[in-house]
Amino acid sequence: MTDVVAPSPSFPAGISMGDAVQAQARSRRAHIIAVTSGKGGVGKTFVSVNLAAALTRHGYKVLVLDADLGLANLDVVLNLNPKITLHDVFTGRSSLDEAILPTAGGYSVLLAGSGMIEYSRLTPEIRTQFMRTIELLAPRYDIILLDTGAGISDVVLFSVSLATEVLVVATPEPTSLTDAYAAIKVLATQQKRQQIRLVINQAQRPGDGRAITSQLQQVLNRFVSTASGQPLRLSHLGDIPIDPAVREAVMRRQLLLQAMPGAPASLAVAQLANKIKAVLTTGA
């Protein structure tokens, strides 16, 4: 596969561009994709875990890293009971290999601890540990999905800054779109992103996502410019329709792609994986 060329991000106060450039310059194999959102509760983690399963079916070696360091919930979604988390790796109590777990979807996960106040803000120690973890993981995988927190906190922005591709998940609900726009604007201005990809979850009708993307692009064209002076390109990656099978799978703590592979939402996630494969193959 051909590596996607990473953008040249700028960073919130306290984050060194030199640190990230140094990390990205090291030899690595993995494509790092951040799955983020402006607002919580839009299905970001659902997208991450099922997309990982779909990408695994394409033959990729995939890791999902729980980058929501203080409010982690990947373990709940995947019905895992980890004894070792990223917190144990950061504190030196366990090795990275001990913390990586296999999943029923055929990919690996690295879970973060939940309810830990020390991860609510980005400190130099957390930044260093997180970057070191990415450096160690990158040569081992084809794709690393960073399941970030929601919003524009320094921890979220730093996590996203390490990715070559950014997927923003939103729903058609007005507050979700408002917060998605705010997140996209910050990523464009602070990290100098040239392109961000949008996934609309819980779409009510075919074509909703394209219409929403077009509307957001018009606003971005008016108010947001990239480092080159050109408007940021917001690409519609795809829609996931409202589907009762999603809630059923979530309540059962199962991967939708495994439990109900023929469900409309499963088929939509499979299409997202197809498009990501094309992006990673061609760099388009």
Side-chain angles (χ1 to χ4, degrees):
M1 293 186 296
T2 302
D3 281 340
V4 176
V5 177
S8 299
S10 62
F11 305 94
I15 300 175
S16 166
M17 176 185 284
D19 287 345
V21 170
Q22 183 181 16
Q24 291 178 351
R26 290 184 172 88
S27 175
R28 73 181 187 192
R29 181 172 57 141
H31 298 280
I32 301 179
I33 303 173
V35 184
T36 192
S37 65
K39 180 179 183 291
V42 299
K44 172 178 52 61
T45 298
F46 163 80
V47 171
S48 296
V49 298
N50 284 280
L51 183 58
L55 289 168
T56 299
R57 293 179 182 180
H58 282 287
Y60 291 110
K61 187 177 182 181
V62 181
L63 172 82
V64 180
L65 193 158
D66 198 342
D68 192 355
L69 299 180
L71 295 171
N73 60 8
L74 266 180
D75 56 334
V76 176
V77 173
L78 294 172
N79 197 24
L80 297 172
N81 296 296
K83 294 181 173 61
I84 299 171
T85 69
L86 195 57
H87 171 71
D88 299 300
V89 177
F90 282 4
T91 55
R93 288 200 288 262
S94 299
S95 70
L96 186 58
D97 286 334
E98 291 174 316
I100 296 172
L101 298 176
T103 70
Y107 57 90
S108 300
V109 293
L110 179 54
L111 303 171
S114 183
M116 296 185 176
I117 191 66
E118 60 265 41
Y119 296 117
S120 62
R121 63 186 182 88
L122 186 67
T123 65
E125 292 78 14
I126 292 173
R127 182 178 68 244
T128 300
Q129 291 283 2
F130 195 88
M131 289 183 63
R132 178 59 177 160
T133 299
I134 294 292
E135 291 169 14
L136 292 172
L137 290 170
R140 306 185 189 185
Y141 296 92
D142 300 314
I143 297 173
I144 296 175
L145 292 176
L146 302 179
D147 185 42
T148 80
I152 53 175
S153 71
D154 56 358
V155 175
V156 172
L157 293 177
F158 178 70
S159 300
V160 174
S161 77
L162 299 177
T164 52
E165 290 284 341
V166 180
L167 309 185
V168 173
V169 179
T171 67
E173 191 253 336
T175 58
S176 172
L177 295 178
T178 300
D179 290 347
Y181 168 75
I184 292 166
K185 180 178 179 180
V186 170
L187 292 174
T189 55
Q190 289 198 8
Q191 298 188 7
K192 310 304 180 187
R193 295 277 172 182
Q194 302 292 316
Q195 177 171 268
I196 290 174
R197 304 182 193 276
L198 184 65
V199 175
I200 297 299
N201 191 26
Q202 300 176 22
Q204 297 180 358
R205 295 172 297 275
D208 275 359
R210 290 195 179 278
I212 289 168
T213 304
S214 177
Q215 292 168 4
L216 286 176
Q217 183 70 70
Q218 291 177 29
V219 179
L220 289 166
N221 290 348
R222 291 182 61 191
F223 299 110
V224 180
S225 295
T226 62
S228 65
Q230 299 298 315
L232 175 140
R233 181 185 172 199
L234 187 62
S235 299
H236 173 243
L237 190 67
D239 298 348
I240 301 173
I242 292 178
D243 186 347
V246 173
R247 176 175 174 79
E248 186 175 346
V250 170
M251 295 301 292
R252 292 181 179 179
R253 299 171 71 180
Q254 296 176 327
L255 285 173
L256 180 66
L257 261 70
Q258 285 190 309
M260 288 161 273
S266 288
L267 299 176
V269 172
Q271 285 299 312
L272 294 181
N274 290 340
K275 292 181 179 180
I276 289 174
K277 180 180 180 181
V279 168
L280 300 184
T281 302
T282 65

